[in-house]
Amino acid sequence: MKKIYLGLGLLAMAGNLSAQNSATVSRVEPMEAKFNSNLDIKYDNAITVKPKSGGAILWSSDFSTMTDWTIDNDGQTGAGLGWAVDGTSDGWISPFNATVMASTSGGNYAEVSNGDYFDDSQAIGVTYNLTAGPIDLSQGGTNTNFTVNLQFEQWGAIFNDDQSVQVSTDGTNWVNVFDNNDRDAYVGNNPSAIYGNTELIDINIANEVSADPTNVYIRYSWTSSNPTATNPATDLGWWTTMGWFIDDVAIVTAPDHEISINQYTFGQGVYQYPYYLVPTTQVGDITFSAKVRNNGAVDQTNTVLTVTADGNDYTSTPVTLTSPNYDSLITTNFTPSATVASYTYDYSLESDFVDEKPSNNTATATMDVTNNIFARDMAGVNGTNLTGSFTNFASQPGQAVKIGNVFEIMADQTLYAADVKFTGTVPTGGALVFCEVHRLNSAGDGYDFVEITEEVYISAANQISGMVTMIFNSPVDLFAGDDILLVVGHYGEDIAIGYSGAAPDNSVLGFDSNNDLIGLAGPVNICVRMNFDASVGVKENEVAGVSLEQNFPNPAKGNTSINYTLTNNSDVTIQITDLTGKVIKVINEGAKGAGTYTVNVNTADLSAGNYFYSLTTENGTVTKAMNVIK
């Protein structure tokens, strides 16, 4: 089969893209991942638009005075380190293209900063807290409605940090009621990741204050979400923040009738995983679902979720949604037509009462039925709508890694290739990339290797402007009911692999440098897709009568074997070169007859890195790439 080399002549500098959190999976049990409230893909965290809704204001602060607030900057006293309250922006705000927070009240606001990424002024190992309290919501006994909402305006963006809001009734034990962790990280030029200037956040905190509504504390807390970086004592990048701005904080009595769609998704098959690109052969019954909440003070009877798809309505069983609780609503099945088409799914939430804030009762999702592409990611047909990237696990930068998505196969089909979207800056010296297919074993506790693609050598930015297709060495037969893990890997060059959209737990898995099975914490859909197009898998030889196989093992450590096949008699020479074209080794095989041969190569005297090996016969030269590790 033809080996693919892209842009061998142009090298680019490597980007500094952050890795994602990882968590070791000792036993993978995806068969347990039937529909539940964790299978939520779209998050809005009850983000609403102005004006604020609700009843009486029980407490508020616009930061014009600091009577109710305490700042704990973890011992940091320098400018741009920790929380500050004033009317100017103190930290690194260049991505936001604005100088001040456009809050409703204007004037002072609270801002958390942690130095400047470009001058290495970040503090490390810190947690910055901004706390208000104690707050008495009883209003001297006149208020008996403790179904209350916390409201505030925010601006900023998330990078590698944790921005959380917590509530306590004793000032010691805290409950997280909101965070921005589901947001897209601001990496590179990603303006869509910036929070609107400003966003109104509206959170029901009735359960959290019920223990003692006379003694309520509110805390805004910032720290790095990766404090266990490879070397947190020196890895300042882990402690970078783009900035988080807070103003117009209030606690208000909840409206009587206010329900919301907090998370929503759709899925097919046993796992109910969502697939955003589905080939006509893999279309299955779609179930729609949403995690909803009663944010009001009155129980909502006959609460139903209705999803409109292809002109028809699909409705959940009515429930009484008690205050202030969540429930998961699931509709009956919709079956898309097995023809190429685009579908829009419109979600709507209703009850017996007129909702006082209908803006958060609707949502929209889309899905495409395609000819050949099967995708879990939300990056669109061309893979252009990425929300971030994965380079490696936090504990192993610069080492080999494989990462990808679990797919449930709906019908027998042959897989010929995998499509991957890379992004960012190509590492210096380029990167060898590949894909692998693994199948869940009979015990259901691990994935067995099935097949690997031929490697692709990427060395220039224009190679990753679109999807990169990698052809499997042999077509892979998949069967209905298969649990398939499709991964993309590199040998330590930390090339950025695109992702788009939050994923269900246990559905984004991979292998670390020790080939141990790993799962992402807070998983995201990796942009690696199944390609069932038979035309991309047509076998070709770059030189007639010659077949050169991939060296094994690869990466090579010490000895590695290279197999080649001749259909005619020929003189044979094998040459190993580095990426600059410098000849490192020459192996003269001499005259060979038709047949298959093996050449053993000792790489002990080669430096770690990428190399090419070329087989030259009387008909021409065939070249492949290999990776050497130490």
Side-chain angles (χ1 to χ4, degrees), residues 194-496:
I194 302 170
Y195 317 153
N197 191 3
T198 60
E199 288 182 348
L200 172 64
I201 309 301
D202 192 348
I203 313 157
N204 188 297
I205 59 171
N207 289 337
E208 289 75 20
V209 305
S210 60
D212 186 359
T214 67
N215 193 50
V216 175
Y217 294 80
I218 305 297
R219 183 166 76 180
Y220 293 85
S221 183
W222 178 94
T223 189
S224 169
S225 63
N226 287 291
T228 56
T230 305
N231 188 357
T234 58
D235 289 350
L236 293 171
W238 291 106
W239 295 91
T240 296
T241 181
M242 299 292 180
W244 189 28
F245 303 76
I246 303 296
D247 202 2
D248 295 342
V249 184
I251 300 177
V252 302
T253 58
D256 286 341
H257 309 297
E258 206 286 284
I259 54 179
S260 63
I261 297 175
N262 284 66
Q263 303 168 357
Y264 60 96
T265 187
F266 60 90
Q268 67 180 42
V270 174
Y271 306 158
Q272 286 296 293
Y273 291 167
Y275 300 92
Y276 294 92
L277 301 177
V278 183
T280 56
T281 50
Q282 299 295 325
V283 168
D285 292 342
I286 301 292
T287 299
F288 304 104
S289 56
K291 187 176 182 180
V292 303
R293 189 178 192 186
N294 184 352
N295 303 298
V298 176
D299 292 350
Q300 300 293 296
T301 53
N302 287 317
T303 303
V304 295
L305 173 71
T306 300
V307 179
T308 302
D310 201 26
N312 296 307
D313 290 342
Y314 300 85
T315 303
S316 66
T317 301
V319 299
T320 295
L321 188 59
T322 58
S323 173
N325 297 312
Y326 291 94
D327 203 348
S328 293
L329 304 185
I330 307 171
T331 73
T332 53
N333 290 338
F334 160 66
T335 305
S337 173
T339 57
V340 175
S342 295
Y343 291 92
T344 298
Y345 303 139
D346 294 316
Y347 295 67
S348 177
L349 184 66
E350 296 179 321
S351 73
D352 283 338
F353 301 92
V354 176
D355 198 80
E356 298 182 38
K357 189 167 58 177
S359 60
N360 57 13
N361 292 7
T362 59
T364 300
T366 59
M367 186 193 87
D368 289 297
V369 177
T370 69
N371 282 315
N372 299 298
I373 304 301
F374 204 10
R376 284 266 313 276
D377 64 88
M378 301 173 65
V381 174
N382 298 317
T384 54
N385 298 320
L386 300 174
T387 57
S389 62
F390 172 94
T391 57
N392 215 317
F393 297 118
S395 60
Q396 61 163 61
Q399 300 180 53
V401 70
K402 295 176 282 192
I403 192 70
N405 307 316
V406 175
F407 289 77
E408 183 180 358
I409 304 303
M410 309 304 295
D412 296 358
Q413 195 163 7
T414 300
L415 179 65
Y416 294 96
D419 292 347
V420 182
K421 185 67 175 79
F422 298 97
T423 187
T425 304
V426 176
T428 302
L432 280 176
V433 296
F434 57 92
C435 290
E436 291 178 354
V437 166
H438 297 254
R439 180 180 279 114
L440 183 69
N441 63 28
S442 58
D445 60 359
Y447 286 84
D448 295 335
F449 171 81
V450 177
E451 188 55 271
I452 187 172
T453 64
E454 292 187 325
E455 294 168 330
V456 173
Y457 176 64
I458 294 176
S459 62
N462 63 349
Q463 302 169 224
I464 58 176
S465 58
M467 302 296 295
V468 176
T469 298
M470 289 177 262
I471 302 169
F472 285 99
N473 287 324
S474 298
V476 182
D477 289 331
L478 305 178
F479 304 98
D482 272 353
D483 179 326
I484 297 296
L485 174 60
L486 177 65
V487 295
V488 54
H490 61 70
Y491 295 114
E493 298 89 353
D494 281 356
I495 188 170

Side-chain angles (χ1 to χ4, degrees), residues 23 67 86 192 421 442 539 548 604:
T67 306
D86 52 40
S192 64
K421 185 67 175 79
S442 58
K539 290 198 172 187
L548 179 62

Side-chain angles (χ1 to χ4, degrees), residues 35-202:
F35 176 80
N36 57 59
S37 60
N38 292 323
L39 297 182
D40 301 314
I41 297 305
K42 178 67 177 177
Y43 299 82
D44 70 5
N45 278 330
I47 295 167
T48 62
V49 294
K50 301 172 186 176
K52 296 181 180 180
S53 64
I57 296 176
L58 304 179
W59 175 88
S60 65
S61 173
D62 62 3
F63 293 102
S64 57
T65 64
M66 288 294 291
T67 306
D68 296 317
W69 295 96
T70 301
I71 293 177
D72 179 2
N73 283 338
D74 212 353
Q76 303 301 312
T77 58
L81 295 173
W83 286 101
V85 174
D86 52 40
T88 61
S89 298
D90 306 304
W92 180 37
I93 63 160
S94 58
F96 306 134
N97 300 315
T99 56
V100 297
M101 183 179 184
S103 57
T104 299
S105 64
N108 287 352
Y109 49 84
E111 173 195 3
V112 69
S113 309
N114 194 36
D116 191 321
Y117 179 84
F118 292 111
D119 64 14
D120 292 339
S121 58
Q122 303 97 311
I124 58 175
V126 292
T127 299
Y128 299 139
N129 290 324
L130 173 70
T131 306
I135 302 166
D136 184 359
L137 301 181
S138 70
Q139 302 284 286
T142 61
N143 173 46
T144 58
N145 176 12
F146 296 115
T147 304
V148 294
N149 287 11
L150 170 65
Q151 299 177 336
F152 60 92
E153 293 177 358
Q154 73 166 3
W155 176 45
I158 199 164
F159 176 57
N160 198 53
D161 39 344
D162 179 79
Q163 302 168 355
S164 60
V165 183
Q166 300 151 2
V167 171
S168 173
T169 55
D170 58 13
T172 301
N173 299 295
W174 297 89
V175 178
N176 190 73
V177 296
F178 174 85
D179 60 51
N180 287 308
N181 293 339
D182 63 289
R183 299 301 190 90
D184 299 338
Y186 192 101
V187 178
N189 184 19
N190 186 18
S192 64
I194 302 170
Y195 317 153
N197 191 3
T198 60
E199 288 182 348
L200 172 64
I201 309 301
D202 192 348

